[in-house]
Amino acid sequence: TNMKKSSIMHWIARIVGIWGGLALIGAWIAGEGGTALGFSQQHLYNDAIVLILISISALVCAMVYLQQEKSQ
């Protein structure tokens, strides 16, 4: 079973996007000056930002690979 690159990138985007969403929820739970799982609210917000950006870039990558696969 040869997985296409577009499918792999799509799954990476999904998984990383879920992590980003969980980091954002953790930041909301931590509140001002609090922590969630040992991380500060600001740390969790920064994690959420980076993870969501990675997820978006993986989705863009998946779309590029999908176009390449259609043209072959």
Side-chain angles (χ1 to χ4, degrees):
T1 58
N2 187 9
M3 280 191 80
K4 294 181 179 177
K5 287 182 184 178
S6 62
S7 181
I8 293 168
M9 292 308 292
H10 189 227
W11 276 103
I12 290 171
R14 284 181 177 184
I15 293 165
V16 174
I18 290 170
W19 284 347
L22 292 174
L24 184 60
I25 291 168
W28 291 335
I29 291 170
E32 284 292 322
T35 62
L37 301 174
F39 297 110
S40 68
Q41 184 184 41
Q42 188 59 50
H43 185 105
L44 289 165
Y45 275 134
N46 291 339
D47 286 350
I49 290 166
V50 170
L51 289 167
I52 295 299
L53 287 173
I54 291 170
S55 178
I56 291 168
S57 67
L59 284 173
V60 170
C61 228
M63 289 190 295
V64 169
Y65 282 136
L66 192 60
Q67 289 300 318
Q68 288 177 352
E69 290 161 6
K70 283 182 180 178
S71 66
Q72 288 178 356

